[in-house]
Amino acid sequence: MPPLVRIRSERDHMSAIERRIADYILDNAHLLRDYSSQQLASALGISQSSVVKFSQKLGFKGYPDLKYSVGQAVARGGGPQPASNGPAPAPGDGYQQLQDALRRSKAAAEDETRLLNPRAHIEQIVARLDRAQKVFVCGLGDDGLFAREFAMRLSLLGMLTVHHADAILMMTNISAARPGDLMIVFSEFGKLPQLSQLSRTFQDAGGAVVSITRHTANPLRAHADAALVVSAHDPAPHIEQLLYRSSLQYLLDFLFVLLCQTNPDRERQLAVNLERVQRLLDS
């Protein structure tokens, strides 16, 4: 796992001092090569041994090993980059540079999202989905767009799906929740109190909650029975938002494909439903 992804993935379980070191490295990764462990410690107002222990806790031999690994990741653009079969952009060709930079950023964000959601964890959530008698899907605002599309896909697989983009309507439908049911809650930052209340009420009814949020510490993720996380980091806010959408879509697409592959009956039902929809459109 790339070092910056590893730091992000373990940040929520770190001590206060370790989080300060992690945040500084994440925010200043391109400058780390110029810092010794003592200089980094001085910049943060902590002991040099804290920096060394932080490095070792992440699995590195020491701070120099961590610094070298981060430097290599930064030199590669933060992660693997897709190969380009076309000619290199001409100097000053801003259009081509923007296009290539966005493609690389999306690829890196999707790769980080994949690494932050390990196979065993994904397969456990897919199994929960496949076993659920009913699946409740909820998201507000922009998150509601992804929730609606995912709920539709689940319905095409023959799964009984309850979807609302209104917290009040969803709360009334939770009265039909039973043990074994599953709720998927979309919330980019995981801080909306309405969604946390919905989740707790659903859990009180015996259902399990899966949250889908950014890879940050947030109330919704903390209280969910299982969590999927999305990686999206960029200094420019408008680019970061695009990366979040791209990575979230990748994650949802993969869940859908796994559901089809795991249960052949789901795939057969998808074919039947798609044919029915097509007949309806043609009539």
Side-chain angles (χ1 to χ4, degrees):
M1 183 182 294
L4 298 179
V5 179
R6 190 182 310 172
I7 291 172
R8 289 192 189 105
S9 67
E10 298 186 17
R11 183 190 180 280
D12 293 345
H13 307 290
M14 294 178 180
S15 66
I17 290 179
E18 290 169 344
R19 284 198 297 271
R20 286 175 60 194
I21 301 172
D23 290 342
Y24 192 88
I25 292 175
L26 292 172
D27 292 339
N28 302 279
H30 59 294
L31 302 175
L32 198 65
R33 63 183 180 183
D34 299 324
Y35 279 75
S36 66
S37 58
Q38 182 59 60
Q39 289 171 322
L40 179 57
S42 298
L44 292 171
I46 59 177
S47 67
Q48 184 179 12
S49 63
S50 295
V51 175
V52 175
K53 290 177 182 177
F54 173 86
S55 304
Q56 294 173 339
K57 187 173 180 178
L58 288 172
F60 297 96
K61 296 178 182 178
Y63 174 74
D65 190 24
L66 169 62
K67 182 168 71 169
Y68 176 78
S69 183
V70 169
Q72 291 293 100
V74 170
R76 292 193 300 268
Q81 300 179 16
S84 173
N85 295 323
D93 187 353
Y95 179 94
Q96 187 66 41
Q97 291 171 358
L98 279 174
Q99 188 178 60
D100 292 344
L102 181 59
R103 184 177 68 248
R104 289 194 299 268
S105 295
K106 282 188 172 184
E110 290 175 11
D111 196 52
E112 284 193 13
T113 296
R114 175 180 59 82
L115 293 170
L116 291 170
N117 296 279
R119 175 175 178 173
H121 189 61
I122 289 282
E123 289 179 339
Q124 181 186 41
I125 290 175
V126 169
R128 282 178 182 249
L129 270 169
D130 192 47
R131 293 195 305 265
Q133 296 298 312
K134 296 187 294 295
V135 180
F136 294 69
V137 183
C138 187
L140 306 180
D142 286 349
D143 294 305
L145 300 176
F146 290 95
R148 179 178 180 273
E149 182 187 2
F150 192 61
M152 183 188 69
R153 289 191 184 187
L154 295 181
S155 297
L156 287 171
L157 292 177
M159 303 173 72
L160 180 54
T161 307
V162 180
H163 165 256
H164 284 297
D166 185 297
I168 294 176
L169 291 176
M170 180 57 82
M171 182 63 80
T172 61
N173 276 273
I174 287 179
S175 61
R178 298 292 182 270
D181 290 345
L182 191 68
M183 174 180 273
I184 302 177
V185 186
F186 290 72
S187 180
E188 181 174 355
F189 299 102
K191 295 180 179 179
L192 292 177
Q194 306 97 309
L195 295 180
S196 293
Q197 186 176 349
L198 284 171
S199 299
R200 288 193 296 270
T201 303
F202 191 81
Q203 289 169 324
D204 290 342
V209 173
V210 175
S211 66
I212 303 181
T213 70
R214 278 181 177 269
H215 184 248
T216 57
N218 60 75
L220 184 62
R221 179 184 174 191
H223 293 97
D225 298 283
L228 293 169
V229 293
V230 177
S231 176
H233 304 277
D234 195 274
H238 65 291
I239 298 296
E240 187 171 64
Q241 186 62 36
L242 294 176
L243 299 185
Y244 177 80
R245 289 170 173 266
S246 174
S247 298
L248 175 56
Q249 191 63 63
Y250 153 77
L251 184 60
L252 296 177
D253 288 347
F254 188 52
L255 286 176
F256 178 75
V257 170
L258 280 176
L259 277 168
C260 292
Q261 296 292 102
T262 300
N263 188 337
D265 289 336
R266 301 285 186 206
E267 196 168 9
R268 283 192 289 270
Q269 188 62 55
L270 173 63
V272 171
N273 283 333
L274 288 176
E275 184 179 352
R276 289 172 176 169
V277 170
Q278 190 59 51
R279 285 204 301 268
L280 185 64
L281 292 174
D282 293 340
S283 60

